[in-house]
Amino acid sequence: MQKAALHEKTVIALTINGERKQVRAITPRELLTELELEGEFFAIAVNRRVITRTRWDESILRDGDSVEIVTPRQGG
Amino acid sequence: MLELYGQKFSSRLLIGTARYPSLAVMQEAVKASGAEIVTVSVRRENAGGKDGDAFWNIIRELNVKVLPNTAGCYSVEDAVSTAELARELFNTKWIKLEVIGDKATLQPDVVGTLEATKILLADGFEVFPYCTEDLTVAKRLADAGCKVVMPWGSQIGSGKGILHEEALRRMRAELRGVSLVIDAGLGAPSHAAKALEMGYDAVLLNTAVAGSGDPVRMAKAFAHALDAGRAAFEAGMMKPREIAQPSTPVTGTPFANTANARSS
């Protein structure tokens, strides 16, 4: 309980898709929820390293991290 | 059959999914083209991820093989990172590697392309490198382990066709064990037919279909052209000759060797 309360207060600054944002999310999964991303098909890299979908609940985001959130799109 | 990294395909067309008037037209054009492989890209999420979902659901309905690209990357580092995101997103080892060297011509940075190719091959990717007509670069890419090499016909989106025919014929002759795909610059079905007549294994195009007046009809036109080009290559084309040779037999020509008959 105490840990959760502490979690509530923690705000970190991330660069998300090139824009600086303050967030409360600790994991990539929480970040997607906090950003209200409703899509299903994403890939995420933190500091240029891909975080596989299976690790979205366990990987920890840190203050200053640079996050890329990408989706499939038209291409030639 | 077209063979790309051990997988076989009956269509010799790889088609892009960008620049169509709508997703619905794109879907119909891909179907009409008969292509079994489409190129796609990786982009930052937009509209909460809904744009990506809408597009991806249509691609999945098409039931085609997906070849993600690294379009827009100007450095080895960006291209490699984008390839890694593409592998995660599309669950494929295939990557159409573009390391661009010049904004105006979108000419590939062939030095960076070779460097990124080596990194990605070592990491288990199956690399489809976009390169120029330079024979040495193509050979280096093949030596590095590429089973597919994709030289340009001309600049991306230019529709000029095959600008360096002699160099590309030489490349075909030298790189027998590699699948060669003309990528970029094709504008007309005749360009695609020519590529296959020259012995190229396949073509990759996008704007020629997407930017035409009727993408679905143009997709069909390309499919016919590719069939024609491949059939011509397999049949074996005649060698051009310097002087005329009558196609109708000369023997038995009426009035031969009579008064007033003229021959020279």
Side-chain angles (χ1 to χ4, degrees):
Chain A
M1 288 301 284
Q2 208 170 352
K3 199 177 169 192
L6 194 70
H7 180 172
E8 280 300 308
K9 287 178 201 162
T10 312
V11 173
I12 56 172
L14 300 177
T15 303
I16 302 166
N17 286 349
E19 279 180 45
R20 242 173 121 69
K21 281 188 180 143
Q22 307 278 332
V23 301
R24 291 178 181 279
I26 297 290
T27 66
R29 178 87 63 195
E30 288 173 14
L31 183 62
L32 291 179
T33 306
E34 187 171 339
L35 296 174
E36 298 181 337
L37 301 187
E38 291 164 17
E40 206 179 323
F41 304 107
F42 295 107
I44 300 175
V46 176
N47 301 329
R48 286 185 172 267
R49 295 191 62 143
V50 171
I51 309 296
T52 56
R53 194 172 267 268
T54 51
R55 293 185 51 237
W56 283 1
D57 288 314
E58 60 196 56
S59 179
I60 303 297
L61 299 169
R62 293 189 170 78
D63 191 61
D65 278 350
S66 182
V67 182
E68 292 286 330
I69 304 172
V70 298
T71 58
R73 215 65 67 76
Q74 293 91 325
Chain B
M1 296 285 274
L2 171 65
E3 191 170 336
L4 303 170
Y5 285 97
Q7 295 189 54
K8 293 193 165 125
F9 302 91
S10 43
S11 165
R12 292 179 180 272
L13 177 59
L14 290 74
I15 194 161
T17 54
R19 296 183 171 275
Y20 292 84
S22 69
L23 283 177
V25 171
M26 182 271 284
Q27 190 175 26
E28 287 310 305
V30 172
K31 280 185 199 161
S33 77
E36 295 156 285
I37 302 163
V38 299
T39 53
V40 295
S41 74
V42 173
R43 287 292 177 264
R44 285 172 167 170
E45 68 82 15
N46 188 24
K50 285 177 194 156
D51 286 1
D53 274 26
F55 170 67
W56 186 233
N57 283 327
I58 281 181
I59 296 299
R60 292 204 303 181
E61 274 176 35
L62 284 167
N63 195 26
V64 287
K65 179 99 182 155
V66 165
L67 174 59
N69 68 28
T70 64
C73 291
Y74 284 80
S75 71
V76 171
E77 192 189 20
D78 283 357
V80 169
S81 297
T82 302
E84 285 165 356
L85 279 169
R87 179 166 62 182
E88 166 75 6
L89 194 55
F90 298 108
N91 192 27
T92 177
K93 289 189 281 185
W94 280 16
I95 191 74
K96 176 188 166 183
L97 178 64
E98 294 182 39
V99 183
I100 302 299
D102 177 64
K103 269 203 165 78
T105 60
L106 296 179
Q107 174 158 344
D109 167 355
V110 292
V111 177
T113 300
L114 182 60
E115 196 183 329
T117 294
K118 288 177 179 169
I119 294 168
L120 292 170
L121 287 170
D123 193 19
F125 281 90
E126 293 176 341
V127 182
F128 294 58
Y130 167 57
C131 60
T132 66
E133 76 281 5
D134 189 290
L135 178 60
T136 310
V137 169
K139 278 186 172 173
R140 290 284 181 93
L141 290 166
D143 290 346
C146 290
K147 304 274 182 241
V148 181
V149 173
M150 305 206 295
W152 64 355
S154 48
Q155 294 162 12
I156 294 173
S158 71
K160 291 180 185 171
I162 294 169
L163 288 188
H164 306 283
E165 184 181 333
E166 244 184 80
L168 290 175
R169 283 189 189 279
R170 191 75 227 148
M171 190 187 292
R172 176 69 285 179
E174 297 272 340
L175 292 172
R176 287 170 184 275
V178 173
S179 288
L180 289 177
V181 180
I182 300 277
D183 175 11
L186 302 186
S190 55
H191 300 155
K194 177 159 198 166
L196 295 208
E197 286 168 8
M198 287 163 61
Y200 274 73
D201 295 283
V203 303
L204 196 164
L205 52 89
N206 190 153
T207 312
V209 168
S212 75
D214 183 342
V216 179
R217 284 195 81 182
M218 188 56 82
K220 272 187 199 143
F222 269 98
H224 290 311
L226 288 161
D227 282 346
R230 181 64 189 183
F233 172 72
E234 286 177 0
M237 299 202 295
M238 65 170 281
K239 295 266 182 293
R241 35 169 75 237
E242 287 300 316
I243 54 164
Q245 176 185 281
S247 41
T248 304
V250 175
T251 311
T253 304
F255 310 113
N257 305 322
T258 60
N260 300 326
R262 292 173 60 175
S263 74
S264 53

